[in-house]
Amino acid sequence: MSKKLSQEALRTQWQKALEGVLLKRPTDLIVDNSTFDLNDGVIIDIKDLEDQVENGKADISDIAINLKHPPRQSVYTKLSALLVEMQHATEGVQTFRQNFRALRDTSCKVSCKERERNQKDGVPDAFWTTELIRWLKQVLNIECDLEACHLATMLCKTGYIYPCNVQWNAVNFKISEPDGNMVFRYQTPFYWPNESQFPLDQDHASHLLMREANNHGIPMDEYEIMCLSRLKKVLKHQWDCITQSALTQTSFLEGCCPSDQYINAWQNYAFWRVRRPPAYYKYICKAESCLNGPNRNFPSFTETSIVPSENDKEKKTAMSPSKILTSSCKRSTGPYKLQCKAWGMSFDALLKDELGQLTFEKHLKKEFSEENLAFYLDCIYLRSAPLKELEELIQSIFSEFISPNGATPVNIDTQTLNAVKAEMKTKKTRFVFDLALEHIYKLMKKDSYKRFPSSKLFKETLETAIVPQKPEKEKGKLPKIWRLSQFLTKGKEEDPERGENNK
Amino acid sequence: MANPKAGSQSTSIAELRKEADQLRIKLNEDRKNLDDAKLFEMGAKPDIVNYQARCRRILKGHSSKVLDLDWSLDKRRIVSSSQDGKVLVWDCFAASKEQLISLPTTWVNACAFAPSGCSIACGGLDNKCCVFPVNACSYSNSGSNVAGSATIRPSGAVGPSDVCSGSIMQQRKVVAMHTSYISACSFTHSDYQILTASGDGSCALWDVESSQLLQSFHGHQSDVMDAALNPMETGNLFISGGCDKRACVWDMRTAKCVQSFQTHKSDINSVRWFPTGEAFATGSDDATIRMYDLRADREIACYEKKSILFGINSVDFSVSGRIIFGAYNDYLVHVWDTIKGTKINSLLGHENRVSCLKMSPDGTAFCSGSWDTTLRVWA
């Protein structure tokens, strides 16, 4: 029954799967006697698809659009495709029929007869971690072990595979090394994330009830017990229905062989582990307490008037500790070395930096063209100025820089000048001086800036520029800039972080 | 007579579609003729860059998923917003919180710091973008007042750092109103204008003081997920990326879409300019980062790997542009070499999706925020 697909054909299948079509192969996807059917609306027979494309009736993308996949879940499409590859009989992950007995917890309360019987049956299609990692590395060209482990962890967290017979938690689950001893199985496609997006609380409740009745070797953990009691309260009026459905499911399953029962139990357990992780529970019942962090006394600190810096113009300003620290740091009034070097290399870096602007202004003063820079800065400010200042700004820039009667007219040719004047008359927007701006910018760049790096001023600044030093550390204590106590008024030995206790 | 008319309408639409497809094919052929060299081939010459980064700070304080973050230009403060409606201002160096703003809505999708560091803008599912004042206005970085500079004018609004939402809500200013959620907001080169991108398919430019709409940009056919302004001060362009898989380049003066690129296979979640302002990168749900060049008018690089299956929420460049960082849904931050196209490193640290990532203004560190409620500063 299993077709031996060549490498070529395998690749096109993968491609098609990537485009949003989940394929149903002639081979069984999972040797699984579970009661859940592959959802028909999503699976397309590969023969069908090939026929349709051949007859020109449909384009692959058209088919993909008509399918049920939600548009933003392209990652699920890819993961599904990857899983399909994995399950291939010969090219996929090598699975084995796990000895059932080896998997079971010895504390499971199953009678001796059953245990004997189960020894013959095995759990089909289980695979070890090593095999999984090896396959992932091979197929996806991953060089690093850790990466493959991480991808495998993600596969588990999203609910495509699950570890067998282990009490695991989707939130902090991790496959940390490729030689792990965990055994995994594929989750049935019905339970894949893109098939069942929003499971109902009622289903969760019936699942928990079934777990309570028979936990198949994995005892219920505290979180599940809490969930069950909460659901009992919330779904009180539907509780009869839920218990009924749980009973029906259990009685149906009792007819199946034990390995099927275990598979079913594990699948459901894995499904609900992913859909209702313990973190989810914390989410909905959490009190808002985490904002009282270590800075809880912060408000009291800022309200005291500790203003150390003499540069502060507005004494009433409340300042945060970080501002106090940075403003009291010994910072040079000159630029840093790297900063200076950047000015020499890029005109834009020079203009963006304030110190750079000052230095360039000095340079321009020597060349008697400092009005260029002033015009440039004003125009840049104009572009993002508030609306109400717009009119007067335009007027002032015009009268100062453009108009020949102005104080400091900039050096633009008559063509540009006339264009700007025409713009002024037709429509006064914030972009009205753009032509002139471009002209001046190019002028500064090609002319004044060319001479800047070789100028005496720049060389001097570069020489006197400092390299930032690490703050001095006194023995055993934090460096002085970190100790907030230095900002307190003298005479009081108080730790500001504990807030002002006496006023 | 309705039927024949409808019939002819549908055939004419089919014809038009064919024509559009043919034109697209022709455009691609023309572009191919102008090809000269592939980026990655040219990138084979320079040395390999080794980038190692460790998580230096973990900022804990949000009680729910962190959705967006922004650095202040003083390279020290970060503002972050989360799903529970709280916006926090952090001092990332000391790993402490400076201010908390509690919004009445949940899902604050976007937050931004003003260039002067005096206010922050945030918006989300409430369809509004509001501006709040921040404590401790910064003067210029050098510690002394530089009177000559015309670009920075602190707005001077200072309020007590207050956990109680009453007084801070009184000081807020509602600037932008859209008809759907705000997905991204940022200040233009000053404190007085805001650019917003919204789920209603439009971007808009607003004046902060008067809350007036200055310009609106329509053209996307679906939600706009991110918008970014050209880092050049003389630039007039901004880019936006949306759920219609298109990245558009807009001219702010004329409100027209100047260029548009559609090569992604799924929603674009994030757009970021290359530091020189002539190219940009987009990150999308199809697990690829693509770089587009404005002058070449096409996609010049695609950063993808077979083993990377999860979508990207945010991208950012290093200051030189040599490195691209991507915040992926598989809980990792992948680091790519821009010109070679290879993955340099993957940073593991977060325990849930990494939803936002931003490089600090001086390039010494970057910060990533995640659905595991923490922010991590890496250097």
Side-chain angles (χ1 to χ4, degrees), chain A residues 14 71-76 78-79 82 139-143 147 150-151 154-155 157-158 170-171 174 283 286 288 290-295 298-299 302-303 311-314 317-323 325-326 331-333 348 351-352 354-355 357-358 361 376-378 380-389 393 430-431 434 437-438 441 482, chain B residues 61-65 74 76-77 83 86 88 91 93-94 96-100 135-146 148-153 158 160-161 163 188-190 192-193 207 209-210 212 214 222-223 231-236 243 252-253 266-267 285-287 305-311 329-332 343 346 348 351 371:
Chain A
W14 162 272
R72 285 175 197 168
Q73 309 292 8
S74 49
V75 65
Y76 290 142
K78 291 186 195 160
L79 287 175
L82 186 65
V139 169
L140 296 177
N141 298 329
I142 304 177
E143 299 94 23
E147 258 190 72
H150 183 79
L151 184 57
M154 291 308 294
L155 278 177
K157 283 196 184 194
T158 43
V171 172
K174 199 168 174 183
Y283 242 39
K286 188 169 179 152
E288 276 199 15
C290 75
L291 281 161
N292 295 331
N295 299 66
F298 183 71
T302 54
E303 271 156 34
N311 285 338
D312 240 6
K313 282 196 172 174
E314 296 170 24
T317 309
M319 283 179 109
S320 65
S322 71
K323 275 288 140 242
L325 287 174
T326 47
R331 222 202 126 113
S332 72
T333 45
D348 294 313
L351 285 182
K352 266 205 173 149
E354 275 168 56
L355 285 174
Q357 284 169 11
L358 282 178
E361 203 181 327
Y376 175 82
L377 290 174
D378 275 352
I380 294 293
Y381 178 75
L382 172 66
R383 275 162 171 238
S384 30
L387 259 187
K388 56 186 186 187
E389 296 181 7
L393 259 177
R430 49 186 77 231
F431 300 111
D434 266 5
L437 183 65
E438 272 180 51
Y441 178 78
W482 282 107
Chain B
H62 279 292
S63 57
S64 183
K65 308 172 181 164
D74 66 2
R76 212 177 147 116
R77 289 185 293 168
Q83 185 205 3
K86 304 243 184 324
L88 278 168
D91 174 350
F93 203 52
S96 62
K97 309 178 201 55
E98 294 205 352
Q99 190 175 356
L100 159 74
N135 283 352
C137 262
S138 71
Y139 294 123
S140 57
N141 291 345
S142 60
S144 58
N145 269 325
V146 181
S149 161
T151 46
I152 294 186
R153 282 212 215 159
V158 175
S161 96
V163 176
T188 61
H189 298 289
S190 80
Y192 308 113
Q193 284 186 348
D207 178 68
E209 305 217 351
S210 58
Q212 248 187 46
L214 294 173
S222 174
D223 307 15
M232 307 292 296
E233 283 184 325
T234 49
N236 294 319
C243 291
M252 291 225 283
R253 292 177 290 191
S266 184
D267 308 353
D285 270 344
D286 64 1
K305 211 165 176 236
K306 211 169 162 193
S307 59
I308 296 182
L309 304 168
F310 287 82
N329 280 339
D330 62 355
Y331 313 0
L332 302 174
K343 183 163 80 82
S346 303
L348 176 64
E351 286 151 21
W371 280 16

Side-chain angles (χ1 to χ4, degrees), chain A residues 429-486:
Chain A
T429 62
R430 49 186 77 231
F431 300 111
V432 72
F433 297 115
D434 266 5
L435 284 163
L437 183 65
E438 272 180 51
H439 184 95
I440 294 292
Y441 178 78
K442 281 183 197 154
L443 186 68
M444 285 200 289
K445 190 166 181 179
K446 287 188 183 155
D447 197 18
S448 322
Y449 181 66
K450 269 263 159 56
R451 296 188 282 268
F452 181 69
S454 43
S455 72
K456 205 170 127 199
L457 174 69
F458 176 67
K459 287 188 179 149
E460 271 174 20
T461 329
L462 188 57
E463 286 233 0
T464 54
I466 61 173
V467 182
Q469 299 290 336
K470 272 192 168 173
E472 296 161 9
K473 215 175 163 183
E474 293 164 43
K475 242 186 179 180
K477 292 185 186 169
L478 287 172
K480 203 162 185 193
I481 60 164
W482 282 107
R483 276 187 277 134
L484 294 174
S485 54
Q486 64 180 314

Side-chain angles (χ1 to χ4, degrees), chain A residues 254-289:
Chain A
E254 259 152 34
C256 308
C257 74
S259 62
D260 282 346
Q261 289 181 18
Y262 267 79
I263 290 173
N264 191 307
W266 287 337
Q267 277 176 353
N268 290 342
Y269 179 70
F271 176 76
W272 289 106
R273 284 271 103 171
V274 171
R275 291 299 180 294
R276 295 280 191 270
Y280 176 87
Y281 181 65
K282 271 194 217 153
Y283 242 39
I284 48 181
C285 308
K286 188 169 179 152
E288 276 199 15
S289 54

Side-chain angles (χ1 to χ4, degrees), chain B residues 312-324:
Chain B
I312 300 155
N313 284 320
S314 192
V315 294
D316 207 355
F317 280 98
S318 66
V319 164
S320 66
R322 181 65 195 274
I323 300 180
I324 290 188

Side-chain angles (χ1 to χ4, degrees), chain B residues 29-60:
Chain B
E29 279 173 12
D30 283 342
R31 280 190 182 142
K32 274 204 180 138
N33 288 339
L34 293 170
D35 263 356
D36 53 1
K38 287 209 161 48
L39 178 65
F40 297 154
E41 285 168 10
M42 298 273 90
K45 269 200 229 157
D47 292 329
I48 300 179
V49 58
N50 253 328
Y51 184 77
Q52 302 288 340
R54 276 176 40 213
C55 176
R56 306 286 173 171
R57 297 278 189 278
I58 303 183
L59 306 177
K60 290 192 190 171

